[in-house]
Amino acid sequence: MSVTDELLANNAAYAERFTGPLPLPPAKHVAVVACMDARINVYGVLGLQEGDAHVIRNAGGVVTEDEIRSLTISQRLLGTEEIILIHHTDCGMLTFTDDQFRQAIQDEVGVKPTWAAEAFADLETDVRQSIARIRTSPFIPRKDSIRGFVFDVATGRLTEVE
Amino acid sequence: MSVTDELLANNAAYAERFTGPLPLPPAKHVAVVACMDARINVYGVLGLQEGDAHVIRNAGGVVTEDEIRSLTISQRLLGTEEIILIHHTDCGMLTFTDDQFRQAIQDEVGVKPTWAAEAFADLETDVRQSIARIRTSPFIPRKDSIRGFVFDVATGRLTEVE
């Protein structure tokens, strides 16, 4: 049995105790942008319930064009007003450079990605960079509450990046 | 008090009962790509625990360049082997067209996005399109288990797209 099949069995149990449907727009009018890291259970970390917040995740919790797309849809079509960014300690993105990553792929498959891996050398600096990318986007209407945090994978605690 | 402050208070309670740290690579060697929709609690839906799987999310659960970036990092650097895609019923992406969305932004802010909103008219067709984008990427090494599902927001149940 594949892991996917095992997780589908879990879903059957989830559906047994599920009560829905809930409304489409997020009840708390919040969008979260977090790293894809397996140790960050965003609903747990922030005490979210089903229906509360949009959750956008990727390698690093960085803001690229696709996160601008998602945040634009989140705010303009579904009424979210606050943005929470979450990077975390012990992040894989701290362990390599874009140049190394792209060269390794070129060496192995013969094609170099046209995109950056978005690796970073400092967590707080990259949180600020992610906030700056949102602030400079003309497509995101509500920028009054954009706050960035580092999640500590040892303690479960969020620390704000000032 | 902002919603962000309220969620930070929830985090303090989460940290009180948190036990960590866990290893960086996902224990179940799985990466999930799901819609950002507030009603999809991916950890709940799949019965995941902290540390189990990478979770990548965006508007629609579609696969654009940034999801290829995240999946490439997930497989090449952190050893995931299976990919699970999750779209869902009552998705906002079914309610508009890219042309409408981009024109509305141009009308309001004077600048038309260079990117597509990735709206779609049919869930199953877009799940297959997302799988096709992964299959055709030269950067993702493991393509033996790429399976797509529709999450029913009324029942909590996943149905596979064949």
Side-chain angles (χ1 to χ4, degrees):
Chain A
M1 191 162 90
S2 70
V3 174
T4 300
D5 288 319
E6 173 195 326
L7 299 181
L8 286 176
N10 292 347
N11 175 246
Y14 177 78
E16 288 296 326
R17 59 179 191 275
F18 186 83
T19 54
L22 292 163
L24 172 53
K28 292 199 179 293
H29 309 290
V30 171
V32 180
V33 180
C35 184
M36 69 179 180
D37 190 278
R39 297 164 294 182
I40 309 179
N41 171 356
V42 173
Y43 281 66
V45 166
L46 295 173
L48 294 169
Q49 302 298 314
E50 278 84 343
D52 278 350
H54 283 147
V55 181
I56 300 158
R57 302 184 64 173
N58 63 51
V62 301
V63 173
T64 74
E65 186 177 274
D66 196 52
E67 287 67 50
I68 295 295
R69 178 185 72 84
S70 294
L71 289 169
T72 301
I73 291 168
S74 176
Q75 289 203 350
R76 299 183 72 92
L77 302 185
L78 293 162
T80 63
E81 298 178 349
E82 299 180 36
I83 298 173
I84 295 173
L85 296 133
I86 302 177
H87 284 38
H88 65 95
T89 59
D90 193 37
C91 187
M93 306 298 281
L94 293 160
T95 64
F96 63 95
T97 69
D98 272 32
D99 282 353
Q100 290 166 353
F101 183 79
R102 294 169 73 243
Q103 188 63 50
I105 292 178
Q106 181 175 6
D107 292 347
E108 189 177 317
V109 303
V111 182
K112 182 183 281 191
T114 55
W115 35 267
E118 293 284 335
F120 45 78
D122 181 78
L123 283 170
E124 285 77 10
T125 303
D126 200 75
V127 170
R128 290 189 200 99
Q129 174 59 215
S130 297
I131 292 173
R133 288 178 180 180
I134 297 172
R135 290 214 174 279
T136 55
S137 171
F139 307 124
I140 296 178
R142 287 182 279 278
K143 299 177 180 175
D144 288 341
S145 183
I146 306 171
R147 294 168 62 182
F149 301 87
V150 172
F151 175 78
D152 187 327
V153 299
T155 67
R157 197 170 294 275
L158 293 169
T159 300
E160 187 153 14
V161 177
E162 306 289 349
Chain B
M1 190 161 89
S2 70
V3 173
T4 300
D5 287 319
E6 174 195 326
L7 300 180
L8 285 175
N10 292 346
N11 175 246
Y14 177 79
E16 287 296 325
R17 60 180 190 275
F18 186 84
T19 52
L22 293 162
L24 171 54
K28 293 198 179 292
H29 309 290
V30 171
V32 180
V33 180
C35 183
M36 70 179 179
D37 190 279
R39 297 164 294 181
I40 309 178
N41 172 355
V42 173
Y43 282 65
V45 167
L46 295 173
L48 294 169
Q49 302 298 313
E50 278 84 343
D52 277 350
H54 282 146
V55 182
I56 299 160
R57 303 184 64 174
N58 63 51
V62 301
V63 173
T64 74
E65 186 176 275
D66 197 53
E67 287 66 49
I68 296 296
R69 177 184 72 84
S70 293
L71 289 168
T72 302
I73 290 168
S74 176
Q75 288 202 351
R76 299 183 72 93
L77 301 185
L78 293 163
T80 63
E81 298 178 349
E82 298 180 38
I83 298 174
I84 295 173
L85 295 133
I86 302 178
H87 283 40
H88 65 95
T89 59
D90 193 37
C91 186
M93 305 300 281
L94 294 160
T95 65
F96 64 95
T97 69
D98 273 32
D99 283 353
Q100 289 166 355
F101 183 78
R102 294 169 72 243
Q103 187 64 50
I105 292 178
Q106 182 176 4
D107 292 346
E108 188 178 320
V109 303
V111 182
K112 183 183 281 191
T114 55
W115 35 267
E118 292 285 333
F120 45 78
D122 182 78
L123 283 170
E124 285 77 9
T125 303
D126 200 76
V127 170
R128 291 189 199 98
Q129 173 60 216
S130 297
I131 292 173
R133 289 179 180 180
I134 296 172
R135 289 216 175 279
T136 56
S137 170
F139 307 124
I140 296 179
R142 288 182 280 276
K143 298 176 180 175
D144 289 341
S145 183
I146 306 172
R147 293 168 64 183
F149 301 87
V150 173
F151 175 78
D152 187 326
V153 299
T155 67
R157 197 171 293 276
L158 293 169
T159 300
E160 186 152 14
V161 177
E162 305 289 349

